[in-house]
Amino acid sequence: MRSPRQTVEQALQRFRNEVMHQLSSKKDEDMQPLTAVSVTGALPRVVILGYPGGGKSTLVNYLATTLARQRLIGGSTGLPDWPAEPPLPVRIVLRRFAAWLVETVGDDVPEAKAGLVWRYLKEKLFADWGCPEAYRHVTETLHTTGGVIFFDGLDEVPESVADGRRTLIKETITDFAGPLDTCKVIVTCREYAYKKDDAWRLPKAQFPEIDLALFQKEQIRQFAQTWYRVTGPRQEWDTNKQAQEARRLADAV
């Protein structure tokens, strides 16, 4: 939340100060790691950084699927630090958005770049996804009751002297997010790509960065067990075979 006289930067700084004060008042043994789900639920804007295969897109898909399902069936999101009423999720894969920019927009880039996102969503809903009637509902919801927009894979957008697409998309995301005070905006990118060149970074005052931690050994084993418990029956594996394959995978990792 921010007052009418506060800038986004001032509001975020106040939030950070409050969090740091709470953390400094706790004993070390009381401290618990922050989960990515909690952080994305608490922050209105955030850039999620991680290693290749570190779970960035998995997190986006999990959040988007959970929110969409709860909007369909009703009830609370069940996500820690997220609002009980599930916001409308909109997922944009940035490599596809970048390809669309080249094919559709080309060199004719408008000064008001936020319109590119709306134009992309409209074209996809009308032409590719076969639900043109949804566009009006999506735009009205995002402008009024709010939603969460995921921009996944900034590092997968090629950057060259010739087109500068990543810079264009960075500016487009910033312009798009500006007036949408009711919406969350979540961007994902590989850590090394985002930090190696400041020209690719979103304004840090508006888009704080978080780093996804790698799985610990026990988390790897739990993931492998769950994976084969779900996929094993499709291979007609019994529980012993599933457990054996889970151990092999965890040991190999």
Side-chain angles (χ1 to χ4, degrees):
M1 299 293 289
R2 60 174 173 143
S3 68
R5 296 182 179 180
Q6 271 187 319
T7 64
V8 173
E9 180 178 1
Q10 290 169 335
L12 280 175
Q13 186 60 50
R14 180 183 175 185
F15 174 82
R16 293 191 195 101
N17 291 341
E18 290 175 353
V19 171
M20 293 306 297
H21 176 73
Q22 293 172 7
L23 293 177
S24 64
S25 65
K26 291 182 177 291
K27 296 179 180 179
D28 289 344
E29 58 267 25
D30 296 331
M31 301 291 284
Q32 295 182 352
L34 288 171
T35 67
V37 172
S38 291
V39 172
T40 51
L43 293 176
R45 307 280 187 269
V46 66
V47 178
I48 300 171
L49 304 177
Y51 290 96
K56 301 179 296 299
S57 293
T58 300
L59 173 65
V60 166
N61 293 338
Y62 169 71
L63 291 173
T65 302
T66 300
L67 296 173
R69 181 179 64 244
Q70 292 308 115
R71 286 182 68 88
L72 285 173
I73 67 176
S76 172
T77 62
L79 299 172
D81 295 299
W82 280 75
E85 185 71 22
L88 176 68
V90 176
R91 185 177 72 105
I92 296 176
V93 178
L94 287 176
R95 69 174 182 275
R96 298 173 186 165
F97 181 55
W100 174 85
L101 284 174
V102 173
E103 296 172 2
T104 308
V105 179
D107 296 328
D108 187 21
V109 179
E111 185 174 348
K113 298 180 180 63
L116 293 173
V117 179
W118 297 116
R119 184 176 164 188
Y120 175 75
L121 289 174
K122 183 175 183 179
E123 181 173 312
K124 291 299 176 182
L125 288 167
F126 273 69
D128 295 348
W129 300 331
C131 46
E133 68 284 352
Y135 178 71
R136 181 177 178 182
H137 171 71
V138 169
T139 56
E140 288 181 351
T141 300
L142 294 180
H143 278 109
T144 54
T145 58
V148 52
I149 301 96
F150 301 97
F151 291 99
D152 191 23
L154 183 60
D155 57 283
E156 297 179 13
V157 177
E159 176 79 4
S160 70
V161 177
D163 55 33
R165 272 177 282 175
R166 195 176 303 182
T167 300
L168 170 60
I169 288 179
K170 177 194 73 173
E171 295 172 352
T172 300
I173 292 172
T174 304
D175 289 353
F176 177 76
L180 293 178
D181 290 339
T182 57
C183 292
K184 290 181 178 295
V185 179
I186 298 172
V187 183
T188 71
C189 187
R190 291 182 180 180
E191 183 266 351
Y192 71 86
Y194 197 76
K195 293 183 177 180
K196 75 176 183 179
D197 191 335
D198 288 341
W200 292 346
R201 296 191 186 193
L202 292 156
K204 195 168 185 178
Q206 287 83 17
F207 286 87
E209 305 157 15
I210 64 167
D211 291 90
L212 285 180
L214 294 175
F215 272 10
Q216 302 299 312
K217 287 184 179 180
E218 184 56 32
Q219 290 173 311
I220 293 172
R221 294 194 178 279
Q222 289 177 0
F223 180 89
Q225 291 166 4
T226 303
W227 176 266
Y228 283 108
R229 190 161 58 244
V230 173
T231 62
R234 301 176 188 175
Q235 305 292 330
E236 298 183 351
W237 292 345
D238 59 22
T239 54
N240 290 333
K241 176 65 172 177
Q242 295 167 26
Q244 178 185 7
E245 292 300 321
R247 285 194 298 270
R248 288 180 59 189
L249 175 60
D251 291 342
V253 173

